Amino acid sequence: MSLKSFIEVSPDSHFPIQNLPFGIFQPKGGKPRAGVAIGDLIADLSVLEDLGHFRSPEFRGRKVFSEDSLNSFLALGRPAWRKVRAVLERLLSSKTPILRDNARLRARVFHSQEKVTMKLPVRIGNYTDFYSSYHHAHNVGTMLRGPDNALMPNWKWLPVAYHGRASSIIPSGADVRRPSGQTKPADAPRPSFGPSKSLDYELEMAFLIGPGNSLGDPVPIGRATDHIFGLLLMNDWSARDIQAWEYQPLGPFLAKNFATSISPWVVSLEALEPFREPLPRQDPAPLPYLRGKDDFTFDIQLEAQLQTSSMKTPHVITRTNFQNLYWSISQQLAHHTVNGCNLQPGDLLASGTISGPTEESRGCMLELTWRGANPLKLPNGEIRKWLDDGDRLTITGWCQGDGYRVGFGEVSGRILPAE
Ligand code: MN
């Protein structure tokens, strides 16, 4: 770890100079603008831009960091993203005096994370949710169809997905109202209407689209990373009883689109590079358009924590890893565009629930409690089959480096009672 900042960052912080994740923040009395997290602080990119630090040709003289979303910056593409990162590494380095030795300038540039409001990082036009964890698909399939027919015949041939709803994607910290809807227990003669009785979380990660492609112009797998800016954490809140009654034959609808929470900081592929791992061999070998040279995944440790209203501290209920995904992000993007579908800057493509092979690595209550059959026993004696009103669910994730972490912060939300 040779790179060091003049800003003090503790070894367990998610935001050392090796990370530099991008987000949109709003200081008290100010407008939303772009920033990068460093330790407990945020560097205000709109101020650095005004001072002329981002003048590479890709910007064509435009100012992108005073906008209230990262969309314009994402549209610029990887050469511009790399240049901005290089400028920030230099400005924040312990060896560079510009900010380090100028208290007045530092006061303009840095904000305390505690004192600002984090907004959604992008304006999301379209949101897609994949179903890419083998163990999640296998567990859910086993519950529905038994272990012999757990995976549908298409699952190992293409990254299965559905189109989600972008308008109900909310920032971390926003409360989630328990949805009401139509449900029908198997033994009931007809459906009834009321608050969901089986509210769940789904531990997921998602990536954001950069420049994107024109309609009719697929992105070959070898060019996929040109269009992937970075990753964030996501909780795909799910109402299992509503889902069970509505999902056939067209897939999830009202069981999912009442709320989807995302973390405020977007970690770039550049920051994740040291944690890259080869994608495990796939059997059967995928069709050629899904076969990437040196396809990869990342070693990202992931946790879900539950805190009920009577618990003093959160309790970890899921421990999993991004490497538990069968399909890579490049495969997801290549598949999404192979028919000519156009992706646009700020589109969100999510992984699906990330479950691993062990019981503790299951990424949702549906699997952890096996549809309520084995309730979770919490340290204070409380029992949960599903999420209760007042429960707070927090997902966090990080890559462990040698003496530092490249982390994603967290995505958190609390359940409010139905209206
Ligand atoms: Mn999902």
Side-chain angles (χ1 to χ4, degrees):
M1 187 178 80
S2 53
L3 195 58
K4 206 178 169 325
S5 176
F6 60 86
I7 290 166
E8 212 47 58
V9 179
S10 76
D12 59 351
S13 167
H14 280 200
F15 309 124
I17 192 169
Q18 284 77 9
N19 190 348
L20 303 177
F22 291 80
I24 297 290
F25 72 101
Q26 182 168 25
K28 273 203 186 81
K31 288 183 176 162
R33 78 280 307 265
V36 294
I38 174 100
D40 300 328
L41 303 178
I42 299 173
D44 188 330
L45 297 179
S46 71
V47 172
L48 295 174
E49 188 171 52
D50 281 343
L51 294 169
H53 287 290
F54 307 119
R55 280 192 178 144
S56 68
E58 291 86 356
F59 282 75
R60 293 191 206 96
R62 286 177 48 208
K63 290 195 174 170
V64 297
F65 293 129
S66 53
E67 296 180 12
D68 63 1
S69 80
L70 294 172
N71 292 56
S72 296
F73 175 53
L74 264 55
L76 295 180
R78 178 132 279 118
W81 306 336
R82 287 218 170 110
K83 282 181 187 166
V84 168
R85 181 172 173 86
V87 167
L88 292 171
E89 283 179 347
R90 186 173 50 81
L91 284 174
L92 296 170
S93 159
S94 57
K95 297 192 177 114
T96 310
I98 302 171
L99 289 165
R100 186 193 68 194
D101 296 348
N102 187 335
R104 278 184 59 187
L105 189 54
R106 284 202 311 274
R108 277 183 69 196
V109 169
F110 293 108
H111 299 256
S112 163
Q113 282 177 31
E114 276 185 0
K115 291 188 178 152
V116 306
T117 309
M118 294 308 298
K119 318 291 279 187
L120 287 177
V122 281
R123 242 181 6 262
I124 300 167
N126 283 284
Y127 151 49
T128 299
D129 197 15
F130 284 89
Y131 192 56
S132 286
S133 147
Y134 171 84
H135 292 283
H136 174 65
H138 197 277
N139 283 336
V140 174
T142 301
M143 282 177 228
L144 296 175
R145 293 178 295 275
D148 295 336
N149 302 302
L151 290 187
M152 297 298 268
N154 59 4
W155 197 89
K156 283 196 164 184
W157 290 101
L158 55 85
V160 168
Y162 70 96
H163 276 130
R165 187 153 182 91
S167 66
S168 49
I169 296 176
I170 56 176
S172 176
D175 292 332
V176 174
R177 175 79 60 188
R178 177 179 297 275
S180 289
Q182 206 182 114
T183 60
K184 191 183 107 40
D187 52 2
R190 61 180 66 209
S192 56
F193 179 85
S196 168
K197 294 189 179 77
S198 42
L199 191 51
D200 203 353
Y201 71 97
E202 289 190 336
L203 183 159
E204 303 198 18
M205 295 200 75
F207 61 93
L208 290 173
I209 297 298
N213 57 310
S214 310
L215 185 63
D217 191 13
V219 178
I221 189 161
R223 311 241 29 144
T225 53
D226 294 356
H227 300 275
I228 300 174
F229 172 67
L231 276 70
L232 45 74
L233 302 166
M234 192 178 105
N235 183 349
D236 178 23
W237 304 97
S238 300
R240 301 300 184 191
D241 45 359
I242 296 172
Q243 186 177 1
W245 174 231
E246 76 172 2
Y247 86 103
Q248 285 176 318
L250 288 187
F253 182 41
L254 304 176
K256 301 275 191 178
N257 68 10
F258 59 94
T260 308
S261 302
I262 62 171
S263 58
W265 294 110
V266 191
V267 178
S268 66
L269 290 199
E270 281 71 25
L272 294 171
E273 188 59 36
F275 309 98
R276 195 169 161 142
E277 297 286 338
L279 190 72
R281 204 176 72 86
Q282 292 167 315
D283 183 19
L287 296 177
Y289 80 93
L290 291 171
R291 233 178 276 162
K293 197 171 161 291
D294 305 322
D295 205 352
F296 61 93
T297 178
F298 295 113
D299 181 6
I300 305 171
Q301 301 178 46
L302 296 162
E303 276 184 12
Q305 307 160 355
L306 175 62
Q307 184 172 13
T308 72
S309 50
S310 54
M311 286 165 73
K312 290 204 169 63
T313 52
H315 175 64
V316 177
I317 58 175
T318 301
R319 279 195 180 87
T320 184
N321 193 294
F322 189 74
Q323 290 176 93
N324 285 320
L325 292 169
Y326 183 89
W327 296 103
S328 74
I329 53 177
S330 295
Q331 289 176 322
Q332 291 169 342
L333 189 142
H335 183 66
H336 205 310
T337 63
V338 75
N339 64 344
C341 172
N342 50 333
L343 299 176
Q344 296 173 319
D347 281 1
L348 184 82
L349 273 62
S351 60
T353 308
I354 307 175
S355 296
T358 62
E359 281 195 29
E360 79 155 6
S361 61
R362 294 172 177 171
C364 60
M365 305 281 276
L366 176 69
E367 291 170 83
L368 283 169
T369 72
W370 210 256
R371 238 186 327 187
N374 307 312
L376 282 181
K377 294 179 189 69
L378 300 173
N380 66 349
E382 281 183 284
I383 289 207
R384 284 288 182 279
K385 289 180 179 173
W386 307 104
L387 297 173
D388 223 336
D389 294 343
D391 288 357
R392 174 173 290 284
L393 197 289
T394 302
I395 295 167
T396 182
W398 67 92
C399 305
Q400 187 63 53
D402 184 10
Y404 70 100
R405 279 178 172 184
V406 168
F408 290 81
E410 63 176 39
V411 57
S412 187
R414 191 179 45 141
I415 307 297
L416 299 181
E419 298 257 69

